[in-house]
Amino acid sequence: MRKVIDLQLRLGSIPIEKIDLDARSRDDIPAVLRGLQLVYTDKTSRAQLIDLLDAHFRPGIDRKVGRPGMEMWRILVLAVLKQGLGCDFDLLQELANQHGAVRDMLGHGAKGLDDERYERRVLMDNIALLSPELLSGVNRLVVSAGHAAAKRKPGTALEARCDSFVVETNVHFPTDVNLLLDATRCVTREAHAACAKYGIGGWRQHKHLTEKARKLFGAVSTARRWKARPDAVSSYLEFCGRIAEKAEASLAELERAGASEAETASIRRFLDHARRQLDQIDRRLLKGEAIPHDEKVFSVFEEHTRWISKGKAGRSVELGVPLCIVEDQHQFILDHRIMWKGGDVD
């Protein structure tokens, strides 16, 4: 059972249209909440929002039966806050539980009368239900309501500006040797889990193998680039290569045991990363080649991560994805596009 918006006020709660938000505040939280308040207050926009949410949340399921779920309006408020602030779930949980204006926007009552709290996992699971298409639809509603509030005449030309910034990914600074370690330990972990499920041996010492890979990696990474010992590099590559060959053999056994493609997909993915890094380290450190930029990958977990140099003072390099945004003269974001490799915009 999941409601779109509960219009019945709780004891001590404030109507959303009457929440007092500081218009002079330069913080992002009041700005995000004012946009949501504007859509909620306008009856036409609110009706369109309810239809949008109602059509998105599992339209084939009867929402009048079953255990209660988080209201769609609350999920939307929290998702828009997370996206607008660019915060993690820990900060979002703190805002949802402690920030007065945010709790008012969520429809909670006064402190002491309504002490409902949000768990981090609950926030993650519910916000994951929202799709980019739904959020884009909500953004169009906000822009439309905002233009009406700004008394923009229909047909008046918009003045827009375009800018780009980097959405950083949560990755460590990438080098080919530590990316090989990431791939090797993940191959070991995934192969052990899959083989244990089907009673296939060979990975009993998976923890020891991971620890040994770390020690060999340390012998290479602590040496300066121009003083890296070829024997340390060779030992590291040889050991990781044996792990890769062992995983290849386990994949064949898993296929004979009836493992599905989905069960072995993660092993294959990390194995591909390991093979690539083995080749690049051999070429760079042992053969003295320069690896072309197009061949490099900067994370085995966030594979879309790019190495971006925009010439900023104090930040010569950023790791993430470049995002292009288009903003009108009323400071509404009209569109945003991810700038992929090769200059393509999607």
Side-chain angles (χ1 to χ4, degrees):
M1 182 173 65
R2 191 188 294 274
K3 296 181 180 179
V4 179
I5 299 176
D6 190 357
L7 299 177
Q8 179 64 45
L9 296 178
R10 297 191 178 191
L11 187 63
S13 63
I14 302 174
I16 291 178
E17 61 272 15
K18 294 184 180 180
I19 297 174
D20 185 20
L21 299 171
D22 187 2
R24 299 179 63 184
S25 174
R26 299 178 62 180
D27 190 62
D28 292 332
I29 296 177
V32 173
L33 295 181
R34 281 200 301 274
L36 291 167
Q37 187 182 48
L38 179 64
V39 173
Y40 185 92
T41 304
D42 184 72
K43 293 183 178 180
T44 301
S45 298
R46 185 170 65 193
Q48 293 175 350
L49 177 63
I50 291 175
D51 292 341
L52 195 63
L53 293 172
D54 197 53
H56 174 76
F57 277 84
R58 300 180 182 179
I61 296 178
D62 187 357
R63 289 192 293 273
K64 296 181 180 180
V65 297
R67 65 183 180 85
M70 190 184 297
E71 294 172 21
M72 301 177 198
W73 167 254
R74 292 186 178 182
I75 298 174
L76 178 66
V77 170
L78 294 169
V80 171
L81 273 172
K82 185 179 187 306
Q83 186 181 51
L85 302 178
C87 64
D88 57 18
F89 282 100
D90 294 315
L91 177 55
L92 185 66
Q93 180 187 16
E94 182 68 16
L95 292 175
N97 290 333
Q98 303 297 336
H99 196 286
V102 172
R103 289 186 64 80
D104 288 341
M105 190 64 64
L106 293 173
H108 290 292
K111 189 173 183 179
L113 299 176
D114 183 358
D115 293 326
E116 181 180 348
R117 291 293 180 265
Y118 296 89
E119 297 296 332
R120 185 175 185 274
R121 173 52 60 181
V122 173
L123 296 178
M124 294 176 64
D125 291 344
N126 281 277
I127 290 177
L129 299 175
L130 302 185
S131 66
E133 292 76 20
L134 175 65
L135 293 175
S136 295
V138 172
N139 184 68
R140 288 192 291 270
L141 283 179
V142 173
V143 172
S144 178
H147 285 166
K151 298 181 180 179
R152 172 177 171 263
K153 296 180 180 179
T156 305
L158 287 173
E159 299 176 6
R161 70 181 185 91
C162 181
D163 196 5
S164 67
F165 66 96
V166 177
V167 180
E168 295 186 347
T169 49
N170 184 22
V171 299
H172 58 69
F173 190 82
T175 64
D176 47 9
V177 290
N178 64 33
L179 290 178
L180 176 58
L181 177 64
D182 288 342
T184 299
R185 64 183 179 83
C186 289
V187 163
T188 304
R189 181 193 65 207
E190 297 297 323
H192 167 257
C195 290
K197 180 178 179 180
Y198 285 89
I200 299 172
W203 295 96
R204 182 174 59 85
Q205 293 186 323
H206 63 283
K207 292 183 179 180
H208 169 71
L209 296 175
T210 300
E211 188 60 32
K212 187 173 181 180
R214 290 183 188 277
K215 290 181 179 179
L216 293 172
F217 159 75
V220 177
S221 63
T222 54
R224 292 185 178 273
R225 180 178 179 182
W226 55 86
K227 293 183 179 179
R229 302 193 315 273
D231 58 331
V233 176
S234 298
S235 298
Y236 182 47
L237 293 181
E238 181 184 359
F239 181 78
C240 293
R242 290 205 307 269
I243 296 293
E245 292 173 0
K246 188 179 181 68
E248 288 277 12
S250 295
L251 280 173
E253 293 188 52
L254 286 168
E255 289 179 358
R256 289 193 293 269
S260 66
E261 186 175 342
E263 291 175 307
T264 60
S266 59
I267 303 176
R268 297 182 188 280
R269 182 166 70 88
F270 289 121
L271 190 57
D272 289 341
H273 283 298
R275 293 292 190 192
R276 182 195 61 251
Q277 296 307 133
L278 284 166
D279 174 65
Q280 291 185 2
I281 294 172
D282 177 65
R283 290 161 53 195
R284 184 177 71 87
L285 291 180
L286 297 182
K287 298 178 180 177
E289 294 184 20
I291 307 300
H293 185 79
D294 291 341
E295 294 184 22
K296 297 178 182 178
V297 172
F298 302 104
S299 175
V300 301
F301 309 109
E302 304 280 351
E303 299 176 21
H304 53 273
T305 300
R306 292 175 55 184
W307 179 285
I308 302 167
S309 301
K310 297 184 69 175
K312 291 184 177 179
R315 300 195 70 180
S316 57
V317 173
E318 294 176 279
L319 296 168
V321 178
L323 186 70
C324 175
I325 60 172
V326 179
E327 185 180 68
D328 65 16
Q329 69 266 36
H330 304 290
Q331 297 184 346
F332 288 106
I333 296 177
L334 304 178
D335 198 7
H336 67 280
R337 299 291 176 90
I338 296 175
M339 301 163 65
W340 294 111
K341 293 182 179 179
D344 296 331
V345 177
D346 186 13

